[in-house]
Amino acid sequence: MTVTKMSWRPQYRSSKFRHVYGKAAGKENCYDGVPITRSVQDNNFCAVNPRFLAVITECSGGGAFLVIPLHHTGKVDPHHARVSGHKGNVLDVKWNPFNDYCVASCSEDATVKVWEIPPHGLLKNMTTPWKELQGHSRRVGLIEWHPTANNVLFSTAYDYKVMIWNLDCPEQVIKNPAKTIGHHADVVLSMSFNADASLLATTCKDRKLRLMEPRSGVLLQEGSCKTHKSSKVLILDNVNKLLTSGTSRWNHRQVALWDLDDLSVPLLEENLDGSSGFLFPFYDPDTHMLYLAGKGDGNIRYYEMSSEKPYIHFLTEYRSNLPQKGMGVMPKRGLDVSLCEVFRFYKLVTIKSLVEPLSMIVPRRSETYQEDIYPMTPGNRPALTAHEWFGGMDKGPVLMSLKPGRPPDDPPGDSDKGPHATREHPFADGPPAENGGDDFSLRSPPRTENELRVKFHKQQEEIRRLLELLQQRDVHIKQLELQINNMKNTQCNSSL
């Protein structure tokens, strides 16, 4: 197999994403005064969902991270409550894709902890986790949730092991993982799944790229390349490719593309630049767009992927003078479709203690819903229970539409009430209503200060949602008025 070099010369090809541009949020919509961690771990240090933003922070006497309600923008209180139950520095955080109130963290104290966040956010420091996972013998550097099965978590540590955890168990402290994968001879640098998680790809410090079946731990393929040292890996399931980012023999930042069926030699490898910052790749399967963001850079390159040569098509580049330490990515269900937003980063700017949202937008004149750029996308409902997945079942993600006006029985974020949920979140809907409804007027009066606070926050959230809906209706009314005026003018001109 021959290695194809990638050309950055402009290619005149039709693409609806050719003019995608990045738009940074205004200062009032950023999160200011966040004490971002000074850790040198090559992670994103940030995770986001449609309700909360989690950022690993600098602290003394253990590890901690902030959980900020997404709409609480502006200056962050320096005494804001934190999740601070780890005894060592927190190295990675990830939100459960099927429960917006559940977040996992891993630390230098060799543990993984899973936390339940109240719907109104943290009012005091949280030190007691919902689950504590004790199995690794050295610091845990990376965690990933299973993309389709509920309550299945993957972790990897400096003991060179990948462990799979089943959280559907009564124990609060879990000391034995459901499965341990021990194929690696050095530290695992990244993990990536295909759509139904029947394949797991890893990169390792021993320069080898591995593809395995995660449930059984069977090693399917192993590849390496003398001219490419891979650090991060992504499975591009819909083009049957695998992408790695890393460095070349001469320490130039480099990306390589591999055939998912043959890891003997890369299909393509290309040097990007001579910078030393770590390269983070992000892929959006709905738009086939690949984003490359360098640690310590201010720019983000983006490309369009295809299954045929030349495979990668350069689109353009977002430039900024604010360097990023890490990037969080909003799930597709949290995007603003009225702005034609197709991707959103949350950029950690250490030099300003700032978290800056950055939207990638497709320029369109019409303000109506653009179905061609928003296909059905993975939603917040699990396709399987943990028991079903460990029992041998594989299913693709449960898809949802991003079109406004979804059925009221499928609201974003209430994933813990899905048909496959195995437990009820204790705070998901506040205090229980005596009549089983959501009408505040039908509920019993709050008996405690905490119940009163929960009801207050739910009412505030409902008011905010109604105001947004009212603004959207006002815009629609103005558009209709303009259309009527244009029709009247056209009729007058034709009669003359």
Side-chain angles (χ1 to χ4, degrees), residues 338-356:
S338 65
L339 298 178
C340 296
E341 183 184 32
V342 293
F343 214 73
R344 188 192 304 165
F345 295 101
Y346 283 76
K347 175 177 170 180
L348 303 186
V349 184
T350 310
I351 60 173
K352 290 197 171 186
S353 300
L354 185 75
V355 181
E356 179 188 57

Side-chain angles (χ1 to χ4, degrees), residues 297-347:
D297 297 355
N299 63 322
I300 300 174
R301 301 175 176 92
Y302 35 106
Y303 315 84
E304 192 170 8
M305 305 296 299
S306 66
S307 55
E308 300 177 351
K309 292 182 180 181
Y311 307 118
I312 301 181
H313 308 274
F314 179 69
L315 294 173
T316 185
E317 182 177 9
Y318 169 79
R319 293 180 178 273
S320 169
N321 58 0
L322 296 178
Q324 59 246 3
K325 182 182 180 69
M327 310 281 277
V329 174
M330 173 65 75
K332 296 300 284 286
R333 58 191 170 88
L335 300 181
D336 189 346
V337 297
S338 65
L339 298 178
C340 296
E341 183 184 32
V342 293
F343 214 73
R344 188 192 304 165
F345 295 101
Y346 283 76
K347 175 177 170 180

Side-chain angles (χ1 to χ4, degrees), residues 356-376:
E356 179 188 57
L358 172 63
S359 298
M360 312 307 294
I361 297 173
V362 179
R364 293 284 174 93
R365 292 183 179 180
S366 174
E367 294 185 3
T368 59
Y369 179 69
Q370 306 292 303
E371 293 192 15
D372 61 320
I373 62 175
Y374 295 116
M376 296 289 284

Side-chain angles (χ1 to χ4, degrees), residues 130-292:
W130 171 56
K131 298 284 185 183
E132 182 172 339
L133 315 180
Q134 301 176 357
H136 290 288
S137 59
R138 299 184 64 186
R139 59 179 174 170
V140 186
L142 187 65
I143 49 177
E144 294 287 350
W145 290 94
H146 193 291
T148 61
N150 199 27
N151 289 331
V152 178
L153 185 66
F154 290 70
S155 65
T156 181
Y158 281 66
D159 56 10
Y160 311 159
K161 295 177 181 177
V162 176
M163 293 186 178
I164 310 175
W165 304 88
N166 181 1
L167 306 185
D168 275 349
C169 61
E171 294 84 6
Q172 192 267 335
V173 178
I174 305 174
K175 296 188 177 182
N176 297 311
K179 179 69 181 178
T180 300
I181 300 174
H183 296 301
H184 303 88
D186 210 324
V187 178
V188 178
L189 301 176
S190 71
M191 299 185 287
S192 178
F193 301 95
N194 64 343
D196 62 0
S198 59
L199 294 176
L200 168 66
T202 63
T203 53
C204 182
K205 209 169 180 180
D206 64 4
R207 292 177 174 255
K208 290 184 178 179
L209 176 65
R210 293 175 174 88
L211 190 67
M212 61 196 77
E213 202 283 319
R215 188 169 37 231
S216 65
V218 173
L219 183 63
L220 303 176
Q221 291 190 68
E222 189 174 272
S224 63
C225 181
K226 294 182 179 179
T227 58
H228 177 73
K229 180 182 179 182
S230 56
S231 299
K232 291 288 185 182
V233 61
L234 288 177
I235 295 181
L236 314 183
D237 204 22
N238 53 359
V239 293
N240 199 41
K241 300 290 185 293
L242 193 148
L243 182 129
T244 56
S245 64
T247 56
S248 71
R249 180 182 295 175
W250 311 109
N251 282 333
H252 291 146
R253 290 197 297 193
Q254 189 180 67
V255 292
L257 197 67
W258 309 71
D259 188 337
L260 202 56
D261 299 321
D262 181 8
L263 300 183
S264 59
V265 64
L267 297 171
L268 173 154
E269 54 183 351
E270 182 66 25
N271 295 337
L272 299 181
D273 54 43
S275 298
S276 58
F278 201 82
L279 203 60
F280 296 105
F282 303 92
Y283 183 61
D284 179 6
D286 296 342
T287 61
H288 291 230
M289 286 183 66
L290 170 72
Y291 301 86
L292 296 178

